[in-house]
Amino acid sequence: MQTQVIVLNGGSSSGKSGIARCLQAVLPDPWLVFGVDTLVDAMPASMRAMDGGIEFAPDGEVVVGPAFRALQEAWIEGIAAMARAGARVVVDEVFLGAAASQKRWQQALGGLRVLWVGVRCEAAVAAGREVARGDRTVGMAVSQAEAVHRGVVYDLEIDTTRAESMECARAIAGRAE
């Protein structure tokens, strides 16, 4: 059975989005990419201003409340439904809850062939990328660099500190077949 879902987990600015785009170029079949940024962007602006939504603190901490979590659960189930319907999906995620986040995804993706990929990057390098991007709260990269991996079990781990996105994508593609 072929891999149906590739889950990329890593901190902010670790290189997940670039790897996901490269995966679409190197994998033989069409793959859809959905990232947590897509989910956040799809939410109404009021979710960032209300209690229970999502908050990006000035120090880079991300706080999620029950309203955000409910929409996130629906999103996860929707991605799982697409994979069950035959779409091949790359998920670009940040496991803010580390192992608990992975468990939510495992439950939703039960019965599907999933490749779990840890995307690591040295905190200082990710912080430099964060500043260069200009669209992130400074501090997120450092606060998430290791925290998102605690207790998470992977099939493959890659380090983007010195590796290019295409090199990483090829390594992942070699395991996804």
Side-chain angles (χ1 to χ4, degrees):
M1 179 187 219
Q2 293 182 324
T3 299
Q4 297 163 287
V5 179
I6 299 171
V7 177
L8 305 175
N9 174 51
S12 179
S13 300
S14 63
K16 300 175 307 299
S17 298
I19 292 168
R21 285 189 298 275
C22 290
L23 280 168
Q24 288 179 308
V26 300
L27 290 166
D29 298 317
W31 285 72
L32 301 174
V33 173
F34 294 99
V36 68
D37 290 342
T38 309
L39 170 65
V40 172
D41 290 344
M43 292 180 173
S46 63
M47 289 291 293
R48 293 183 190 208
M50 66 181 274
D51 287 342
I54 184 167
E55 177 187 345
F56 299 93
D59 66 355
E61 182 184 11
V62 180
V63 180
V64 297
F68 176 86
R69 185 74 65 211
L71 288 174
Q72 184 183 39
E73 291 298 324
W75 178 71
I76 290 170
E77 290 295 333
I79 290 173
M82 283 189 290
R84 285 192 179 85
R88 297 177 88 185
V89 181
V90 177
V91 177
D92 170 351
E93 250 292 18
V94 179
F95 287 173
L96 294 174
S101 295
Q102 183 179 36
K103 185 174 182 177
R104 281 192 294 276
W105 276 100
Q106 287 171 325
Q107 290 170 341
L109 299 173
L112 294 169
R113 173 105 191 249
V114 180
L115 180 66
W116 299 94
V117 181
V119 180
R120 294 185 179 271
C121 182
E122 289 177 10
V125 172
R129 292 175 186 169
E130 177 180 70
V131 169
R133 285 175 67 162
D135 66 347
R136 298 281 183 228
T137 302
V138 173
M140 262 199 297
V142 170
S143 70
Q144 294 173 2
E146 290 302 319
V148 300
H149 298 291
R150 287 191 190 111
V152 178
V153 177
Y154 298 112
D155 299 307
L156 175 66
E157 291 190 53
I158 56 172
D159 189 329
T160 66
T161 302
R162 290 169 197 75
E164 294 295 323
S165 295
M166 186 57 80
E167 177 186 348
C168 295
R170 286 190 178 113
I172 295 165
R175 294 284 301 271
E177 311 217 12

